[in-house]
Amino acid sequence: MHKPVFAANRDQVTGGVYQSTRHDSGHKHVAGEALYIDDMPEPAGLLHAALGLSHCAHGLIKEIDLSAVKDSPGVELVLTAADIPGVNDISPSNHHDDPVFAEGKVMFWGQPIFAVIARTRNEARLAAAKARITYEELPAVLDIAAARKNGQDFVAEPMSLNRGDLDAAMAAAPRRIKRSMNLGGQEHFYLESHIALAVPGEDGDVTVYSSTQHPSEIQHAVAHVLGVPSNAITCEIRRMGGGFGGKETQGNIFAAIAALAARRTGQAVKLRPDRDDDMVATGKRHDFVIDYEVGFDDEGHILAVDILFAARCGFSADLSGPVTDRALFHADNAYFYPAVRLNAQPWRTHTVSNTAFRGFGGPQGVVGAERLIEEVAYATGKDPLEIRKLNFYGGPGRDLTPYHQTVEADLSAEIIAKLEESSDYQARRAEIRAENLRENARGGPFRRGIALTPVKFGISFTNSWQNQAGALVNVYTDGSVSVNHGGTEMGQGLYIKVAQVVAQAFQIDLDMVKITPTTTAKVPNTSPTAASSGTDLNGMAALNACNNIKERMIAYAVEKHGVPADQVEFLPGRVRVGNREIEWPDFVKEVYSNRIQLSSSGFYRTPDIHWDRKAGRGRAFYYYSYGAAASEVTIDTLTGEYRVERVDILHDVGSSLNPAIDIGQIEGGFVQGMGWLTTEELWWDDKGRLRTHAPSTYKIPVASDRPRIFNIELLNKPNHMPSIHRSKAVGEPPLVLPISVLHALSDAVASIGDYKIFPDLDAPATPERVLFAVEAMRARVRERNGSHG
Amino acid sequence: MRRTVRFLLNDREFSLEGFDPTLTLLDWLRNERRLVGTKEGCAEGDCGACTVLIGRLRNRELRYEAINACIRFVATLDACHIVTVEHLKKASGGLHPVQQAMVELHGSQCGFCTPGIVMSLTALWLGAAQAPSRERIEEALAGNLCRCTGYGPIISALDRAYEIEASSADSLNVGRAEVARKLAGLADREVIEISEGGRRLFAPATADQFAELTAAHPDATLVAGATDVGLWITKMLMRPATVIALGRIGELDRIEDKGDHLVIGALVSVSDARAALGGLDPQIDELIRRFGSEQVRNAGTIGGNVANGSPIGDSPPVLIALGASVILRRGSERRTVPLEQFFIAYKKQDRQPGDFVEALIVPKPRPGTLFHVSKISKRFDEDISAVCAAFRLERDEAGLTTNAVLAFGGMAATPKRAAAAEAALAGRAFDAQAAEAAALALASDFKPLDDWRASARYRSTVAANLIRRFQAETATGSVHRVAGILRSDAHA
C-alpha cells in the first residue's frame, strides 16, 4: 500500500507558515481544471434563468405584458414578485428595502422585474428581451448633487464623529481652506460574473452553489424568500473568479431566483447573468462628494478638520451605512486632528444600490485625508510629504483618533522614512521639479510628478459582532487532514494560508492538508469574507480546532504513556512522546484506537474590541495595517494622457504568513486602486442608464498600465497584537496606496503654475480630467500674469 | 455545396452539420464539448478569458493565433485547428512550460482569467524562439484582463517559460506536421452551407462564389472575423437569417505591393495588415498595435473595419489621410470609391445591397510628406478612440503647403476630414501660426458629441492640440508621445 510522507524534510514541514507557498489552485488555474460554478458537471434536466430588467430609472409599473416571453421557444416558467412564497426582500442589513423583483415601482434602470426559466441560457435571454413593460415615469434623482437639491432621504442613519471643540478650533486657526472634491465610484469587474446554481432536494430543501463571499447570507436570504427555515438551505462555494466586495451581498438576488425556480420546477436551475446585466444590476463602489474645511498654521500643522462625506448609495441601504461609516473611520488616515468633526450623508438615489468594494468606504476616507494634506502643502508652499510628517499620530496627546481609539504601535513614521530613502524620493523630486521648470520655459509638452502617500488601515469589522469565525478540522485515521472554515476563496489565498496554519499546527506537510469547499452545512453562521479579516479570523478558528485535537492527543499521551504534557511534542512528520518518536500516522492510528475524537470545530472572536456607534467612541479596530507608496508619473499636457513611470511600495503585513501571496495582494490591490483613481469611470446618461456597462466601455488597467518600474517590499515586523502567527491583514490596505498616483498627477499638473497654485484634480483622473486641470492651471497662470493675457 | 464544417479540436477531428449558424465557439466548447477551461468573462471580445488558439494553413505553413472564442462562429472554422487550454498539458500529464512558469511565479490569484492568459502567452511562445521584450508581452496581453494580480508575475512568467525547456517538447509542436497534413486534407473549394431553423450561413471558398452569393442574398450579413458581428449575436441578441462568411477565401486574404500603392484584400486581418501598413510609418504601426487587442487583430480585418462604417473605427482616419480608396464589387462589376466619400452618414456607407468590399487601395506617402497619427483614448491599450487623428501634409520646394489632409475619427458621425482646418493650412508655410489658425478653424469643422468616452469639449480641445503637436513635431523633427513605442527617451 502507498504510504504517504507527512514531512519530507524532518527539520521543517513543507508549506508551513511564513513560507511562499504557491496558491493551492495554481496548477489547476493554468490547466483550466479549477472548477468555477459554471464549470461544474450539470445536473440532468438543468434549466437556465435570465433576468428581465427595468428600462426606467424611477417609475410606477403600469403594465407588465409577459405573454411573448412565455411563448418564446424553450420557456418553462416566468417568475415575478407574485411567485415569491416568502418575503420579497433580500436586504442584507434588515432595512427591508431590497426586493428580489420590483413590485409596483422601479427604483433604478436595470432593476430586475421578472425572471424567465428556459431550457437553454440563450433561449432564456432571447425570451427575456420580449417583455413589454410600461411605466409612468417619476422624477429620477441620479446623483449626489441632485439628491441634495431634491432633499432626498438617507438610506441609513448617518454616523458622526466628533472630538474637541471643532468650531472654536477652526475659528482660532491662523489659516483655513474650504473646498470640495468629487471622487468616482468603481465597478468590481470580477472576471467571473455572478452565478448561482440551485439544486432541489427532499422536503423542500435546496442546495445553492453561489459565487459569494458570504454563504451564510445567501442561506438566510434564500430561506426568507422561500419562506423556509435556514436549515432547509445549504450554500456551498469552492472558489470565486474574483469578488472584491462585489459578492458580499450582491449574490443574494441570483441565488434567491435560482432557488425559487428550482423549487417551482423541481429541477436544477442555473442563473448566470450576462456581463452587461451583471454590471447594470449589481452595486458598485460608492462615489462621493467630499466637502471639507481645514484649519492649520503657517508651518502646516493641522488644527481643525471638518469633513462631510456625501455618498451616492443608490435606491436601497444594502451596506451603505457601514460603508459610509468606514469613510469616516479612515478620514484621519495616518494623521492626528486636534479637533475634528466628520459627518456622512448616505444619499438615496435612483441608481443601482452601491455596495462593498475592497476598502469599504475606507479608501474614500483616505482620499479625503490626503486631499487636506495637499491643500495645506500648497497653501504653505511645502512638500506635501513634509506636511504628512508634521501631522502623524505621535504619542500621548497626539494619539487619539476621531473615534477616540488610541493609536498604538504606529508604524507610519518608520515606513515613510524607510521608503523615502529606498525610493530616493528627495533627489528625484528635486530633479523632476527642475526639469519641469525647464520644460515650462521651453514650452515642451511633458511634465512629471511625484508623490509619496501613506496608509493606515483599521482591521476589524466595525460591526463588532461580525468579528467571529468557525472552522472544522478532521484528522483521518491515515493521518491525512481536512480543513473547512467559514471563509471563502476569491483568489486572495485565504485557503492556502489557513491550510499552512493547519500544517504548521500538526507539523505535517501542506499537501497532507485537504482544503474543502466552504459550506454552511459544515461551519454555520459565518461572517462574510470581507474587511481583510479572512485569515485573521478563520486562521485563528482553524488553529483553535487543531489545538483542540492536539490537546486531546496530548492528554491521551499523558495518560497512556505516563509522560508530562510538556514532553509531548509535535515534530515534522512525527510526535515525540517522552523519549520515543512516533510517526504521525502511527500516532494518529493509536489515538483513534483508544477512542479519542479526531475531529473538532474551532471558534474565534477578536478580543478587546468594542464600538458604540451612537457615541462615536470605542476601540473599533484590533490593530492597524500600514504601508506607503511613492509614485512617479509623466503627463502629456496637450492630451492629458499619462504614464506611471515608477512605483515603490513598503507595506506592513506583520510577520507574513506567505510573502508571495501577500506581495500578490499588494501588487494587485495597487493596480486595482490605480484603476479606480485613473481610467475607471462610471458614466450614467440623463435617463439614469449606465452606459459603461461592459469592458468595451469601462476600462480597468491592462498589462501596459502597470508601472514601468514597480518595487514592492514587505516591512516584515511582527504584529504587536497576538494575531494569527503575528501576521496582519492584507486584502484592502494596498488599494489605498495608489492615492500616490493621483497626487503625482496633481504634482505634474501643478508644475504648470510653478507649484504655486492648487491643482484641484478630481478622481478618476482620466486623461480628460488631467487635461482640463492643466488647462485650468494655464488659465490661472494667465490671470496671474495679466500682462501676458 | 457541403453541409458540414470540418475542423480539428485539440486531438480530435469533427464534422458538424445542421446547427445554429451563429453558434459561438465558446458556447460550443463549454456547452456541448464540456471543455470548461475556456471561460466567458464578457462575451464581447474584450476580456480575453475565452482565448483559444486557431491554427490555420497559410501558404502551406501552419500558424497558430490567439482569438476570442466568445465572438467567433463555429461555422467559420472550417479547416482550422482549434486549441483549448485542455490541450496544453503534455501527454505525461505534466504542465506546459508556460503553465509551469505561471504556477512558479504566482501568476494566478482567482484563476478565472488564467486559462485565457496562458493561451495568449502560449501563442507568443510558439511564435518566438526567444523571450520577447516586455513591450511585446504587454502588447500580446492587452486583450487579457486580470483583476487580481497587477500583471507583474504574468509578464515575468513568459521569461521563465523559456528557461524551463525547449519548445520541441510542447504538444503543439510535437504533432505539427500531422496537423498540417490533416488541415490540408480538410480544405476544398465547395461552398459550405450550415443551416438550422430557417437560418443559414454560407462559407464560400472563392471570391466568385462569394460575389454570386452576395448578389443572390443582398440582405445577408457579411462577416469576416466577426469581431463586430459577434456582438450583434451575443449582446444585441440579433439572429440574422442569412450570413455569408469570407473566412475561407484565400484570394481576398492577400496584400499586393504595387510600388506606389498597396492593395489590401478584404480578408486581410489587422495583424497581417500591420506589417504592410505599419511599414509606411512607425506612427501607423503604433496605431495598429493599439487597434483592439491581439485577439481582435488576429480575427478582425481592415476591410471589415472600413465596411462597418463606425465613426470610431481606428483605421479609417489613417486610410483617408493616406488617400485610400475602396474597391466595391457586385457580381462581376467593380467600382472604386475614395474612402472619404464612402462614409455617407452614421453607419451608412456608399454600399448598395449586394455590394461588398473586395479590397482597399492604399497609396504610399511620397518622400518628404509630413505625417502624423494619434489615437487618444481613456486607456492606452485596448480602448476605443475618443479622438483618432491622421494628418498628411505635402509641401512645395518653397516649403508652402500644397496639400493638407486632416482626417479625424470620433469627431463626427463618420470618419471625416476637417475642411476648414485644411484650408487654413493651404498655400502657406507650416509654422506655429498656420497650425494655430487650423486648430481654431476646427471649431467650424466639427461639433462632436458628449459621451462616456469623452466630452465634446475634450474632443475639440484635443483635436486642436493634435494639430499643434503635428506642427511642433515637424519643427523639432521628433515624435512626441507620453507612452507606447513612439515615446522618446528624451523625458524618460
Side-chain angles (χ1 to χ4, degrees):
Chain A
M1 204 185 87
H2 168 71
K3 192 157 188 184
V5 178
F6 282 86
N9 176 348
R10 304 294 276 186
D11 300 326
Q12 189 195 25
V13 295
T14 305
V17 297
Y18 309 141
Q19 298 180 30
S20 279
T21 301
R22 292 167 197 168
H23 194 285
D24 60 275
S25 296
H27 61 291
K28 292 177 276 187
H29 293 152
V30 298
E33 292 168 0
L35 296 183
Y36 302 80
I37 289 169
D38 198 40
D39 305 337
M40 293 164 58
E42 295 183 338
L46 176 71
L47 298 172
H48 297 264
L51 301 177
L53 306 181
S54 88
H55 288 180
C56 170
H58 188 208
L60 303 174
I61 300 174
K62 286 176 66 180
E63 200 195 342
I64 305 183
D65 175 3
L66 300 177
S67 52
V69 179
K70 288 172 180 154
D71 291 344
S72 196
V75 170
E76 299 273 326
L77 178 69
V78 176
L79 296 170
T80 64
D83 297 296
I84 291 173
V87 291
N88 183 19
D89 177 48
I90 46 170
S91 168
S93 48
N94 293 317
H95 282 79
H96 307 292
D97 59 354
D98 244 329
V100 177
F101 295 120
E103 220 173 339
K105 192 175 184 184
V106 292
M107 294 287 281
F108 72 98
W109 188 301
Q111 184 171 17
I113 297 173
F114 69 93
V116 52
I117 320 300
R119 286 183 312 233
T120 71
R121 184 168 174 273
N122 272 326
E123 283 173 337
R125 291 184 69 213
L126 287 166
K130 294 176 182 170
R132 301 212 189 295
I133 302 174
T134 50
Y135 310 90
E136 181 184 330
E137 283 197 34
L138 300 171
V141 173
L142 299 176
D143 57 19
I144 296 163
R148 283 176 157 170
K149 206 170 133 207
N150 283 273
Q152 281 290 103
D153 61 337
F154 296 142
V155 295
E157 183 68 26
M159 193 168 84
S160 184
L161 297 180
N162 298 279
R163 216 195 58 247
D165 185 344
L166 186 272
D167 292 325
M170 192 67 82
R175 304 180 65 175
R176 285 188 295 276
I177 293 173
K178 194 173 175 177
R179 215 193 299 259
S180 186
M181 86 170 286
N182 294 307
L183 175 59
Q186 186 177 25
E187 160 62 34
H188 303 85
F189 210 85
Y190 27 68
L191 260 288
E192 177 210 35
S193 61
H194 275 282
I195 182 167
L197 166 65
V199 182
E202 298 174 4
D203 296 326
D205 294 355
V206 182
T207 298
V208 184
Y209 300 88
S210 165
S211 187
T212 178
Q213 295 171 239
H214 197 351
S216 286
E217 171 81 24
I218 295 286
Q219 180 191 23
H220 298 152
V222 169
H224 285 143
V225 170
L226 297 187
V228 299
S230 288
N231 65 8
I233 307 299
T234 301
C235 177
E236 178 172 323
I237 172 67
R238 170 60 183 86
R239 63 171 64 76
M240 283 164 271
F244 316 114
K247 294 174 180 172
E248 182 170 345
T249 64
Q250 301 295 295
N252 289 357
I253 196 163
F254 307 102
I257 292 169
L260 179 58
R263 277 288 296 276
R264 284 288 299 272
T265 60
Q267 284 173 266
V269 176
K270 191 190 278 186
L271 173 47
R272 176 169 69 84
D274 179 64
R275 171 65 62 180
D276 298 52
D277 286 357
D278 181 298
M279 285 182 72
V280 165
T282 68
K284 312 181 187 314
R285 185 188 295 284
H286 294 65
D287 50 321
F288 276 71
V289 173
I290 305 172
D291 298 331
Y292 54 87
E293 184 171 16
V294 55
F296 55 101
D297 66 18
D298 289 334
E299 277 85 57
H301 294 103
I302 291 175
L303 304 172
V305 168
D306 187 2
I307 314 181
L308 177 58
F309 287 92
R312 167 157 58 178
C313 297
F315 81 99
S316 72
D318 186 72
L319 301 174
S320 292
V323 165
T324 49
D325 285 4
R326 199 173 264 270
L328 305 197
F329 280 116
H330 289 82
D332 59 338
N333 194 19
Y335 312 113
F336 174 67
Y337 301 153
V340 54
R341 175 165 64 208
L342 304 170
N343 280 291
Q345 289 183 336
W347 289 107
R348 189 186 308 280
T349 52
H350 298 113
T351 49
V352 68
S353 189
N354 283 329
T355 191
F357 193 146
R358 200 176 195 170
F360 204 74
Q364 293 95 319
V366 179
V367 166
E370 294 302 329
R371 176 80 166 194
L372 299 187
I373 296 290
E374 206 182 14
E375 288 275 16
V376 173
Y378 280 92
T380 55
K382 293 189 174 183
D383 178 357
L385 182 58
E386 205 178 315
I387 305 299
R388 290 185 170 101
K389 291 178 186 172
L390 270 184
N391 289 286
F392 280 146
Y393 282 103
R398 289 184 57 84
D399 58 358
L400 261 198
T401 65
Y403 42 96
H404 300 263
Q405 176 166 348
T406 303
V407 177
E408 299 159 354
D410 187 12
L411 298 174
S412 302
E414 179 184 345
I415 284 182
I416 287 273
K418 284 185 171 161
L419 183 66
E420 185 178 350
E421 191 178 326
S422 66
S423 67
D424 198 19
Y425 170 84
Q426 294 298 350
R428 285 165 61 207
R429 180 169 185 268
E431 190 265 320
I432 286 168
R433 290 164 85 86
E435 186 193 301
N436 282 343
L437 297 183
R438 282 197 300 275
E439 285 301 295
N440 280 354
R442 197 159 50 200
F446 303 113
R447 299 292 184 279
R448 291 156 67 198
I450 188 168
L452 195 163
T453 63
V455 56
K456 159 180 142 287
F457 205 89
I459 303 301
S460 291
F461 287 98
T462 54
N463 281 332
S464 298
W465 53 271
Q466 288 186 307
N467 295 290
Q468 57 170 304
L472 175 66
V473 172
N474 298 330
V475 177
Y476 295 97
T477 53
D478 64 352
S480 66
V481 173
S482 79
V483 58
N484 195 275
H485 52 78
T488 56
E489 175 65 36
M490 57 193 115
Q492 83 279 41
L494 169 64
Y495 275 17
I496 194 74
K497 282 183 171 177
V498 175
Q500 287 175 268
V501 167
V502 172
Q504 184 82 24
F506 289 127
Q507 287 293 295
I508 57 177
D509 283 353
L510 185 63
D511 58 5
M512 289 297 131
V513 179
K514 175 69 80 180
I515 297 168
T516 57
T518 309
T519 167
T520 54
K522 279 189 182 169
V523 175
N525 309 328
T526 57
S527 291
T529 307
S532 308
S533 67
T535 306
D536 283 14
L537 299 178
N538 295 290
M540 277 295 201
L543 179 60
N544 172 272
C546 295
N547 286 340
N548 289 343
I549 296 170
K550 284 169 71 179
E551 277 166 26
R552 291 183 207 137
M553 288 175 157
I554 292 167
Y556 156 79
V558 167
E559 192 189 323
K560 183 83 176 183
H561 296 281
V563 296
D566 62 5
Q567 286 192 25
V568 182
E569 196 181 356
F570 291 79
L571 300 170
R574 61 207 192 276
V575 181
R576 186 172 70 81
V577 179
N579 296 324
R580 280 176 59 213
E581 286 193 359
I582 310 171
E583 290 300 303
W584 167 257
D586 299 333
F587 183 69
V588 167
K589 193 151 281 165
E590 181 187 328
V591 173
Y592 165 76
S593 304
N594 284 277
R595 298 188 293 173
I596 304 296
Q597 191 190 6
L598 290 176
S599 170
S600 177
S601 63
F603 184 76
Y604 176 73
R605 59 167 174 257
T606 313
D608 304 333
I609 48 173
H610 53 91
W611 174 240
D612 180 344
R613 186 174 183 272
K614 274 213 155 41
R617 281 172 179 267
R619 181 186 169 106
F621 302 115
Y622 188 44
Y623 63 86
Y624 298 100
S625 285
Y626 293 87
S631 295
E632 180 186 334
V633 302
T634 304
I635 65 167
D636 180 341
T637 61
L638 285 181
T639 62
E641 297 165 286
Y642 45 78
R643 179 157 107 157
V644 181
E645 307 285 1
R646 174 173 167 180
V647 173
D648 295 77
I649 291 173
L650 180 59
H651 204 78
D652 158 40
V653 293
S655 296
S656 175
L657 284 177
N658 184 327
I661 296 278
D662 285 341
I663 286 174
Q665 285 293 295
I666 294 164
E667 190 165 352
F670 183 92
V671 170
Q672 190 173 70
M674 186 180 78
W676 169 47
L677 296 170
T678 56
T679 59
E680 293 183 36
E681 187 172 34
L682 293 163
W683 201 91
W684 282 266
D685 65 18
D686 56 5
K687 291 278 184 198
R689 184 175 175 187
L690 179 67
R691 303 306 293 266
T692 47
H693 53 67
S696 52
T697 43
Y698 184 78
K699 311 314 280 188
I700 73 169
V702 296
S704 60
D705 294 313
R706 182 183 158 80
R708 299 295 86 192
I709 301 169
F710 201 175
N711 303 313
I712 301 170
E713 270 190 69
L714 301 178
L715 185 68
N716 241 334
K717 196 170 179 171
N719 192 345
H720 73 289
M721 297 301 286
S723 57
I724 182 75
H725 293 290
R726 298 279 173 176
S727 65
K728 282 191 180 181
V730 71
E732 293 166 298
L735 189 122
V736 181
L737 297 170
I739 292 174
S740 56
V741 172
L742 180 65
H743 283 226
L745 290 167
S746 270
D747 186 53
V749 170
S751 70
I752 304 284
D754 296 349
Y755 301 98
K756 292 189 175 71
I757 302 167
F758 184 68
D760 201 9
L761 183 63
D762 282 345
T766 55
E768 173 160 347
R769 284 204 181 80
V770 170
L771 181 65
F772 288 160
V774 166
E775 298 252 310
M777 189 64 73
R778 289 198 200 285
R780 293 280 299 279
V781 170
R782 279 195 299 272
E783 244 171 66
R784 198 180 56 191
N785 311 335
S787 57
H788 301 285
Chain B
M1 190 77 79
R2 166 148 69 89
R3 296 190 178 277
T4 57
V5 167
R6 305 177 304 202
F7 53 79
L8 305 179
L9 166 64
N10 297 334
D11 51 11
R12 254 185 85 181
E13 193 172 326
F14 283 84
S15 176
L16 305 181
E17 70 173 298
F19 59 96
D20 176 353
T22 53
L23 173 68
T24 64
L25 175 57
L26 181 63
D27 276 354
W28 184 70
L29 290 172
R30 290 187 59 85
N31 297 340
E32 297 185 35
R33 304 307 318 155
R34 292 306 294 169
L35 288 173
V36 294
T38 309
K39 311 298 184 194
E40 178 180 314
C42 69
E44 62 177 17
D46 254 272
C47 81
C50 65
T51 303
V52 297
L53 302 186
I54 297 294
R56 286 189 300 158
L57 284 180
R58 309 289 300 279
N59 303 322
R60 295 204 196 88
E61 194 196 331
L62 179 57
R63 197 170 86 188
Y64 288 95
E65 291 178 320
I67 65 145
N68 293 307
C70 68
I71 48 171
R72 185 59 177 253
F73 306 143
V74 175
T76 65
L77 290 167
D78 197 65
C80 291
H81 183 202
I82 303 158
V83 180
T84 68
V85 68
E86 287 86 354
H87 193 55
L88 292 192
K89 268 193 173 181
K90 288 175 279 194
S92 62
L95 295 175
H96 184 280
V98 167
Q99 294 173 314
Q100 184 62 36
M102 281 282 286
V103 175
E104 284 179 18
L105 296 193
H106 312 280
S108 70
Q109 286 185 23
C110 87
F112 198 83
C113 70
T114 309
I117 282 178
V118 164
M119 296 313 279
S120 284
L121 291 178
T122 301
L124 202 50
W125 183 86
L126 276 172
Q130 284 161 2
S133 66
R134 174 177 172 184
E135 284 69 25
R136 176 69 192 104
I137 298 170
E138 288 171 349
E139 182 184 318
L141 288 176
N144 289 90
L145 302 180
C146 170
R147 194 54 151 164
C148 296
T149 64
Y151 303 100
I154 295 169
I155 294 167
S156 304
L158 195 60
D159 283 341
R160 173 72 190 120
Y162 279 88
E163 295 165 10
I164 290 177
E165 68 187 286
S167 62
S168 60
D170 130 79
S171 56
L172 285 176
N173 281 326
V174 168
R176 208 171 177 109
E178 179 65 8
V179 168
R181 194 187 59 72
K182 283 184 182 164
L183 293 184
L186 294 178
D188 64 13
R189 294 173 76 82
E190 289 280 323
V191 172
I192 296 172
E193 181 183 343
I194 298 298
S195 61
E196 187 191 68
R199 297 175 54 230
R200 59 198 164 175
L201 179 143
F202 296 106
T206 69
D208 287 343
Q209 290 169 350
F210 183 63
E212 266 174 52
L213 284 164
T214 46
H217 305 280
D219 296 329
T221 297
L222 309 187
V223 55
T227 55
D228 188 23
V229 174
L231 279 73
W232 302 6
I233 308 301
T234 62
K235 294 293 164 176
M236 296 157 76
L237 303 177
M238 288 164 64
R239 293 294 181 267
T242 306
V243 177
I244 307 175
L246 291 72
R248 298 169 65 219
I249 309 171
E251 62 208 278
L252 296 183
D253 191 5
R254 266 186 222 144
I255 301 173
E256 292 172 85
D257 191 331
K258 304 277 195 183
D260 64 345
H261 67 277
L262 301 168
V263 180
I264 299 177
L267 189 59
V268 174
S269 72
V270 178
S271 290
D272 287 345
R274 180 174 169 187
L277 287 172
L280 301 179
D281 189 287
Q283 297 181 70
I284 300 177
D285 188 61
E286 172 81 335
L287 177 77
I288 301 177
R289 192 194 80 77
R290 293 175 59 196
F291 185 120
S293 62
E294 185 117 340
Q295 293 94 319
V296 166
R297 293 191 294 273
N298 288 338
T301 60
I302 295 279
N305 196 234
V306 166
N308 82 1
S310 166
I312 46 178
D314 275 340
S315 66
V318 72
L319 291 171
I320 290 172
L322 288 166
S325 13
V326 52
I327 301 175
L328 292 166
R329 178 171 170 189
R330 184 181 345 182
S332 56
E333 287 171 35
R334 289 179 175 83
R335 64 193 171 104
T336 302
V337 181
L339 189 58
E340 59 191 83
Q341 290 168 24
F342 178 68
F343 303 110
I344 296 169
Y346 178 68
K347 292 240 171 185
K348 180 171 166 21
Q349 294 82 255
D350 180 7
R351 190 166 77 80
Q352 306 302 318
D355 277 357
F356 67 91
V357 172
E358 189 175 53
L360 291 155
I361 300 170
V362 184
K364 296 181 184 175
R366 283 196 288 266
T369 301
L370 300 178
F371 207 71
H372 176 99
V373 184
S374 276
K375 170 177 172 168
I376 309 299
S377 50
K378 212 178 272 180
R379 185 176 69 197
F380 187 76
D381 269 324
E382 207 211 12
D383 198 358
I384 291 168
S385 306
V387 178
C388 188
F391 308 146
R392 178 169 59 98
L393 198 128
E394 287 161 337
R395 294 180 293 187
D396 63 16
E397 282 167 11
L400 305 182
T401 298
T402 55
N403 183 26
V405 182
L406 307 180
F408 287 91
M411 296 294 289
T414 61
K416 199 173 158 231
R417 287 176 64 174
E422 289 174 4
L425 296 176
R428 60 193 285 194
F430 187 42
D431 53 18
Q433 289 75 18
E436 199 54 35
L440 296 175
L442 269 186
S444 59
D445 282 315
F446 297 118
K447 294 279 175 280
L449 288 177
D450 277 317
D451 71 11
W452 49 93
R453 292 196 181 90
S455 68
R457 185 182 147 217
Y458 179 70
R459 289 186 159 106
S460 298
T461 307
V462 164
N465 281 350
L466 291 177
I467 296 176
R468 297 181 180 109
R469 163 152 293 163
F470 180 27
Q471 193 278 325
E473 287 180 343
T474 302
T476 59
S478 62
V479 174
H480 303 162
R481 298 292 189 279
V482 74
I485 53 178
L486 294 172
R487 172 190 160 99
S488 83
D489 285 331
H491 58 279

